[in-house]
Amino acid sequence: MSRSIGLAGSFFAGVRVAGKLTYIPEHMKNGKKINSRCVIPVFKNSHKGTNAKTGEQGRSDSFKFVAWGKLADTCAKSLPVGKAIDTICDPQSYLGNLFAADGSIRVDNAGAAIQVNKVSFTIMNIVFGEESAKAVAEEVSTGRRPVNWANPAHPDYQMWINILKQRQAVVWQGEAEFGYARVVVPQGQGVVVTPGVPIQNPAYTASAQAPVSMAQYAAPVQAPVAPTTPAYAAPAPVAPVYTAPVPAPAPVPPVAGQIPVPAQVPIQVPAMTTGNLF
């Protein structure tokens, strides 16, 4: 019996960000929420294989990774050029526009955009690796990173940690760039973009509940109570319970034709006396 559902997966280790990221903010399209998306160009060097053009040993391959939703925002604010990443991806095919060398969309004789089959790799899991020395030097020289950011004994170390925390808290407010990414704002009929305002999914808005303050779950603070010694109370007297004596059973008269059995008299055994018996 044939199968109608297949499995596909890709694992990348040690790939590097190859260029500037592209960030598409979340928006509404025809009443449906579309999550934010971040397109990440990467390259992978390898000592294996042969370059088809030069015949030299080793080769370099380039790919495009895609992150969605909150992960897209995190990647846009965390992936400078040259940063290493390890990923587990889901390869997906789609129809995309064909671009010319100058970045313009190529069209056919009728003026319609030419679309070709493309493959992207949707990030399912990611681990951030080391940064490029060139990118670090560029950030230090432009004042975007403290000079001694990597020295735990220097105040710059804690300053850099605070900068990273503040950077992750930033939301897109309509700027042309977001973190390390250029921003492409969706356009077209039925598209609504609201910079800085998170979009609620209409399918869940009706059932959404207002945020609950955790204060109502905090245990009330009570004033400490001084320990007291309980007063001694004598136990109440218990009245004795009177139990009437149980009468001895009456003797049973002998039945005619039977020989009465005399009552057995216990034998009294004299107490032992001390001394020699013989």
Side-chain angles (χ1 to χ4, degrees), residues 68-160:
W68 291 89
K70 292 182 179 180
L71 181 58
D73 291 26
T74 300
C75 288
K77 295 179 285 189
S78 307
L79 295 179
V81 175
K83 189 173 181 66
I85 55 177
D86 303 332
T87 64
I88 297 177
C89 298
D90 181 19
Q92 298 177 350
S93 62
Y94 65 99
L95 285 177
N97 294 329
L98 182 62
F99 293 90
D102 59 358
S104 61
I105 299 177
R106 300 188 62 177
V107 297
D108 57 17
N109 296 333
I114 300 176
Q115 291 191 325
V116 294
N117 192 35
K118 297 183 178 182
V119 177
S120 68
F121 295 86
T122 299
I123 297 176
M124 310 304 294
N125 197 354
I126 185 171
V127 176
F128 297 149
E130 65 274 15
E131 297 177 291
S132 165
K134 181 179 179 180
V136 172
E138 189 270 336
E139 287 191 346
V140 171
S141 64
T142 56
R144 290 184 294 168
R145 184 186 298 230
V147 177
N148 297 288
W149 65 275
N151 182 6
H154 197 278
D156 284 359
Y157 181 81
Q158 186 60 44
M159 181 186 299
W160 177 238

Side-chain angles (χ1 to χ4, degrees), residues 237-256:
V238 180
V241 179
Y242 174 77
T243 304
V246 179
V252 180
V255 181

Side-chain angles (χ1 to χ4, degrees), residues 200-220:
Q200 299 294 333
N201 194 326
Y204 300 97
T205 302
S207 61
Q209 298 180 355
V212 179
S213 172
M214 294 304 295
Q216 62 178 301
Y217 295 102

